[in-house]
Amino acid sequence: MTFTAADPSPIVRVEHLTFDYPGRRALDDVSFALMPASITALVGPNGAGKTTLLRSVAALEEPRCGRIFIHGIDAGENPREAHRLMGYLPDHFGLYQDLSAQECVRHAALSRGLTEAEADAAVRRTLEQVQLTDKLDEQAGLLSRGQRQRLALAQAIVHRPRLLLADEPASGLDPEARAELAGLMKALAAEGMTILVSSHILAELEHYCTAMLVLDDGHLRAHQSLASSPTQSSRPKRLLRIRLADAHDTGAAFDLTALHRWAQDQGLESRLQASALLIEGDLDDRAQSRLLHELVQAGWPVLEFSPHTRALQDVYLDAVGRQEQPA
Amino acid sequence: MSKVLPHNPEFRRTFKLGFSATRLLIDPFLIGLALASVVYTERHNIDLWVIIFYAAQAGFFFFTVLWGSYQASQSLVREFSAGTWDTQRMSALGPWQMVWGKLFGATFHVWYDGAFLLLLIFISSLGMEEITDSLLIVLAWAAFAVMVHAISMMLSLSPRAKNLPATGVLGLLLCLLLTAPSLALRDPQTCVWLGLEMERPTFALLSLLALCGWSLVGLWQAMRRELFERNTPWWWLGFLLFWLLWGMGLLSPARSVIEWIKWIDYLSYTALLAWVSVYVQLLLAPKDPATGQQIFIAWQRRDKVRILHRLPNYLVSVLFAFALSLITGLVNYLAFKNGTIPLRELAFTPLLFAPFVIRDLACVLWFHLTPNIKNPLGVTFVAFLVLYALCHALFRESPLYFAFVPLPLYPRILEITVPQLAVGILLPVAQAILAVWLLHGCWQKHWAGTPRRTP
């Protein structure tokens, strides 16, 4: 399947999705759109509704109401058509343990409607891409967790879907395997594949995601492009990180809380983060220089004054409005 | 079948997992060894071919039919437990491809051995039967095995029954239910079906082939639902008509003194079968709230196609049985043109099953839709035990007895009195209203409005 990364229309459009489980609402009026070739992190605490959302987008669950369009196809009305455009990587991988790695991917290719010749080429290419060519004849059940995860990914992408849905793909992987996964995701997005990946560990998504959906208690709290996102529509505000010398050396009047108040008095958008204050605004080099000058003149014991990269953690905390990392 | 079996990916996968060159070589040897041991231990001087005939049939029944049904069911159960079923559901394989692939791929091993056993059955029966009869016996066994395998798979799919022993038992019960009438024919040589006299083996074989075909259609429909293809309930209506016609043809009403009374009785028995079919389908159908919500939304939008796509088959059965009961009642009424319908005729009308079925249906749905009932099937079983066994026994000598027994099933229906008839009509209706009210309350509380948002 070929894709056009420059396609301006969203590949996924979710409209007013509501999903109920017995006694509770798992998703409440969730709406968003994903642009082609983006990698979107779906984050939120345990029980936020991430897996339900992924399964609904994959048309594996029927929501109470709402509509999901995959490349213009109504997934609720034509799930089989929508499935042709999708690959789904479940959190438990879903491998046939008794088949060899090659047989697993070949079965997936043939099941997805590829011909024998197409399947041969696709299996070879995909196993090369996930770096499993040295494990072709090894049983899936005997592979390491990282290798099984890559094999499951190979199954999900062997038919070159437009959209890849991955549920907690890095769960339980060691740092090396996580880095490999990040590389793979970036490579797939570079080919034009749109990826929606769920996780409750922000650090693992940091390296490759271009946008983030924050889900909390079934509500979509935020859908935000990250700084490096190719789909970002507007230039992000700059973040400055300011640290002060210890308060007991300089006096209570010069602690971070006081600086926070001072910044707000100056009309600056600021917030406290651990041992630093983050100031956000449209601050060019000149404005930064002026701010530093004012701080020093006012007697603030500035220890650090540096640009700060907006991390997933910041976006997440902004969205859920609380000072805690998801569990 | 868009792809022939050897090119079916699902057949290839299941075949590869279940069959090997070792089995190819060893199994015929093992079958020979088993038969030799049976022949060697036989001490009754029975003819060798007779021993082989019965031993091969027993072997086919236990290995190919029963073990095969386990294997067929496991081909799905394993997918559920390994978490691979979602991937399969998203594949491009069509429902028939999935049915053939799994049905014959997962059971290829048992069919390989079954082929040897069928050959032995055929050869050993030649000394006792005509060659055509021998072929019929082989064909009947093969059809029976396919039917049992298909039903076993269908049951594994339908309620997402991951509890295999229960699935196996249900499959066997359903098979017996479907085949029992043909086995219970009194005349060993001929039977009468809808007035047609035919040889019993011919009738049994035709019935088996038809039921085998319907079990495959049922499995196909269950697979269609799993693979997200929209179903309309016409196939189930078709099966109901077939089953009712088949069953009706076997019944020989005792009161068939006058021709038109015989037909009223036929209709009454048929309506009874239709009511029974509600329970069969209720057992198999998923009873999730999402279906109800989807129907409700479609109803609000007046979207008839969507309603048809989501209409559970048990509701189709209810509507069908209700219509049939009404027709029976009307025919019964018209038959007594002077307007004096005997009391027993009133008590015999199949419409009296309706409140019981509606009560049971409402109770089952209520158990399934109440969030804090963890084992709705178990609760249903206990409730039915109380309603149909305990209450029946407790009120045996009381007028309340008629509140718990549908009047047409009352053994002494010819002696029914007016008060008994009144109790037998009013109290079941009251129970049905109460059950529907409880179901409505549960729906309103948990599913109709906006549920609470915290887990």
Side-chain angles (χ1 to χ4, degrees):
Chain A
M1 191 175 286
T2 55
F3 0 75
T4 50
D7 190 348
S9 58
I11 193 92
V12 177
R13 208 169 73 241
V14 174
E15 295 174 355
H16 308 292
L17 187 68
T18 300
F19 194 103
D20 288 345
Y21 284 119
R24 79 181 173 100
R25 179 154 289 187
L27 296 172
D28 195 358
D29 198 23
V30 172
S31 300
F32 62 88
L34 302 183
M35 299 307 286
S38 61
I39 308 179
T40 305
L42 175 60
V43 297
N46 287 335
K50 299 188 295 295
T51 299
T52 306
L53 178 58
L54 276 181
R55 290 181 63 81
S56 298
V57 173
L60 286 169
E61 303 284 355
E62 199 165 17
R64 177 174 179 170
C65 55
R67 299 177 86 180
I68 298 160
F69 295 92
I70 310 293
H71 200 58
I73 294 168
D74 187 335
E77 290 303 314
N78 302 297
R80 305 254 315 154
E81 285 297 306
H83 286 159
R84 290 178 197 278
L85 305 173
M86 279 189 243
Y88 178 58
L89 176 61
D91 57 349
H92 45 71
F93 301 161
L95 294 170
Y96 292 108
Q97 308 288 331
D98 298 326
L99 292 183
S100 71
Q102 187 169 223
E103 287 166 343
C104 279
V105 183
R106 190 173 169 73
H107 175 259
L110 293 171
S111 300
R112 287 301 197 148
L114 271 63
T115 62
E116 297 276 347
E118 286 169 344
D120 284 339
V123 170
R124 207 176 317 114
R125 184 189 58 227
T126 312
L127 285 172
E128 272 171 22
Q129 195 166 17
V130 299
Q131 296 168 16
L132 280 177
T133 42
D134 56 333
K135 303 284 179 190
L136 293 181
D137 297 321
E138 219 161 290
Q139 275 192 353
L142 300 177
L143 297 174
S144 71
R145 186 173 174 84
Q147 288 164 343
R148 276 188 287 137
Q149 181 269 332
R150 277 186 279 152
L151 181 59
L153 183 61
Q155 280 191 163
I157 62 170
V158 68
H159 60 299
R160 315 313 287 170
R162 281 174 179 269
L163 172 67
L164 173 65
L165 304 165
D167 193 2
E168 305 273 0
S171 171
L173 296 186
D174 59 37
E176 194 184 344
R178 282 185 193 188
E180 284 172 2
L181 177 70
L184 256 172
M185 293 289 187
K186 279 196 257 190
L188 292 173
E191 287 178 20
M193 204 178 283
T194 308
I195 301 170
L196 178 59
V197 53
S198 87
S199 180
H200 63 275
I201 303 166
L202 298 180
E204 77 185 29
L205 303 166
E206 190 88 63
H207 305 295
Y208 56 90
C209 287
T210 58
M212 183 162 83
L213 282 168
V214 181
L215 209 57
D216 186 27
D217 196 18
H219 295 267
L220 186 63
R221 301 287 183 202
H223 180 203
Q224 204 159 343
S225 292
L226 303 174
S228 56
S229 168
T231 58
Q232 187 158 328
S233 55
S234 62
R235 192 166 154 266
K237 290 178 178 176
R238 282 196 191 180
L239 271 178
L240 283 175
R241 178 182 162 86
I242 302 172
R243 259 188 341 123
L244 300 178
D246 279 352
H248 58 80
D249 297 335
T250 56
F254 293 106
D255 68 2
L256 278 176
T257 317
L259 179 61
H260 182 41
R261 276 198 303 272
W262 178 87
Q264 285 179 336
D265 290 344
Q266 305 296 313
L268 294 167
E269 201 178 315
S270 67
R271 69 169 186 278
L272 289 165
Q273 190 196 57
S275 59
L277 183 77
L278 293 179
I279 292 182
E280 190 169 12
D282 194 10
L283 299 163
D284 58 12
D285 291 350
R286 184 184 292 260
Q288 285 182 44
S289 166
R290 195 166 56 242
L291 177 61
L292 178 61
H293 181 71
E294 283 172 12
L295 283 170
V296 174
Q297 271 208 329
W300 292 100
V302 178
L303 194 66
E304 181 187 332
F305 185 94
S306 59
H308 181 72
T309 310
R310 189 172 173 78
L312 274 176
Q313 172 96 348
D314 301 320
V315 180
Y316 178 82
L317 292 177
D318 278 354
V320 298
R322 58 189 190 209
Q323 296 292 306
E324 60 179 81
Q325 187 174 348
Chain B
M1 221 182 339
S2 59
K3 284 187 177 179
V4 286
L5 220 44
H7 294 289
N8 182 320
E10 195 48 30
F11 176 80
R12 281 157 70 165
R13 185 187 69 78
T14 45
F15 168 78
K16 182 176 168 44
L17 289 176
F19 201 64
S20 65
T22 319
R23 281 183 169 170
L24 189 78
L25 295 171
I26 286 181
D27 282 7
F29 174 73
L30 288 178
I31 290 170
L33 202 66
L35 280 175
S37 65
V38 170
V39 170
Y40 183 75
T41 52
E42 172 53 51
R43 302 279 181 227
H44 295 90
N45 292 326
I46 301 170
D47 184 64
L48 175 71
W49 288 114
V50 175
I51 297 170
I52 292 176
F53 178 68
Y54 286 109
Q57 285 191 97
F60 188 86
F61 178 76
F62 285 109
F63 187 73
T64 308
V65 176
L66 290 188
W67 180 245
S69 92
Y70 175 80
Q71 291 294 331
S73 168
Q74 277 294 293
S75 70
L76 286 161
V77 173
R78 273 194 290 261
E79 297 257 28
F80 301 148
S81 57
T84 48
W85 188 233
D86 282 341
T87 317
Q88 294 277 45
R89 293 169 83 203
M90 290 179 76
S91 75
L93 294 177
W96 272 126
Q97 279 177 287
M98 198 66 93
V99 166
W100 297 130
K102 285 201 173 294
L103 192 63
F104 293 109
T107 59
F108 195 85
H109 173 217
V110 294
W111 276 112
Y112 174 69
D113 292 353
F116 281 105
L117 292 167
L118 286 177
L119 189 67
L120 283 172
I121 293 170
F122 177 70
I123 293 169
S124 60
S125 67
L126 284 176
M128 298 177 275
E129 311 275 352
E130 294 290 321
I131 189 164
T132 46
D133 290 341
S134 300
L135 280 172
L136 286 183
I137 292 169
V138 168
L139 189 61
W141 271 115
F144 184 65
V146 171
M147 183 182 80
V148 175
H149 295 175
I151 290 173
S152 175
M153 273 180 75
M154 188 168 56
L155 288 170
S156 301
L157 268 185
S158 296
R160 286 295 183 89
K162 287 157 190 165
N163 184 348
L164 186 68
T167 311
V169 170
L170 282 174
L172 206 61
L173 282 176
L174 201 59
C175 289
L176 288 174
L177 189 71
L178 290 169
T179 51
S182 64
L183 299 174
L185 290 170
R186 287 179 192 142
D187 190 335
Q189 295 303 321
T190 59
C191 70
V192 179
W193 184 77
L194 269 183
L196 300 170
E197 195 171 307
M198 64 178 94
E199 287 183 3
R200 182 178 164 168
T202 311
F203 176 75
L205 180 70
L206 288 175
S207 301
L208 259 178
L209 288 176
L211 292 171
C212 177
W214 275 111
S215 62
L216 285 171
V217 169
L219 176 58
W220 173 55
Q221 289 294 326
M223 200 61 89
R224 275 174 63 90
R225 192 187 58 222
E226 282 293 308
L227 298 183
F228 309 101
E229 291 203 350
R230 299 297 182 207
N231 279 341
T232 43
W234 305 125
W235 76 275
W236 176 246
L237 210 54
F239 174 68
L240 275 182
L241 284 169
F242 159 78
W243 190 28
L244 299 179
L245 191 70
W246 184 77
M248 189 175 82
L250 287 174
L251 299 168
S252 60
R255 302 182 301 153
S256 56
V257 186
I258 308 166
E259 192 64 18
W260 56 263
I261 290 184
K262 187 175 90 175
W263 284 105
I264 290 173
D265 288 348
Y266 270 144
L267 274 174
S268 301
Y269 283 123
T270 309
L272 170 62
L273 286 176
W275 286 118
V276 171
S277 79
V278 177
Y279 290 90
V280 175
Q281 195 48 246
L282 186 61
L283 184 76
L284 298 177
K287 292 162 276 287
D288 57 310
T291 308
Q293 288 170 337
Q294 291 284 345
I295 292 175
F296 187 65
I297 290 168
W299 178 265
Q300 285 177 325
R301 292 178 185 162
R302 301 284 183 269
D303 189 343
K304 287 173 193 161
V305 176
R306 215 176 163 89
I307 292 173
L308 271 182
H309 281 156
R310 284 160 176 78
L311 198 65
N313 287 333
Y314 55 81
L315 285 183
V316 177
S317 292
V318 169
L319 294 173
F320 181 78
F322 196 79
L324 202 60
S325 301
L326 268 181
I327 292 168
T328 311
L330 196 66
V331 170
N332 211 353
Y333 174 76
L334 291 175
F336 294 91
K337 286 176 183 165
N338 57 6
T340 53
I341 304 172
L343 209 54
R344 63 182 174 81
E345 291 298 334
L346 272 178
F348 197 69
T349 175
L351 212 53
L352 293 180
F353 285 108
F356 286 91
V357 176
I358 291 168
R359 177 199 69 184
D360 295 346
L361 184 65
C363 282
V364 171
L365 292 177
W366 179 41
F367 298 148
H368 279 83
L369 295 178
T370 304
N372 48 5
I373 293 183
K374 302 295 175 209
N375 182 7
L377 203 64
V379 176
T380 302
F381 180 73
V382 172
F384 280 15
L385 210 63
V386 170
L387 287 171
Y388 286 103
L390 194 65
C391 290
H392 186 275
L394 275 178
F395 301 115
R396 180 170 286 277
E397 302 303 325
S398 151
L400 283 175
Y401 175 77
F402 296 97
F404 300 101
V405 175
L407 282 176
L409 298 181
Y410 180 48
R412 288 178 291 163
I413 195 165
L414 298 176
E415 303 157 20
I416 195 96
T417 61
V418 174
Q420 287 172 335
L421 185 66
V423 171
I425 293 172
L426 293 177
L427 287 189
V429 169
Q431 290 177 64
I433 291 171
L434 178 68
V436 169
W437 178 73
L438 286 170
L439 174 65
H440 180 258
C442 168
W443 180 265
Q444 288 296 324
K445 185 179 175 188
H446 299 292
W447 305 107
T450 305
R452 60 185 185 277
R453 287 175 182 168
T454 47

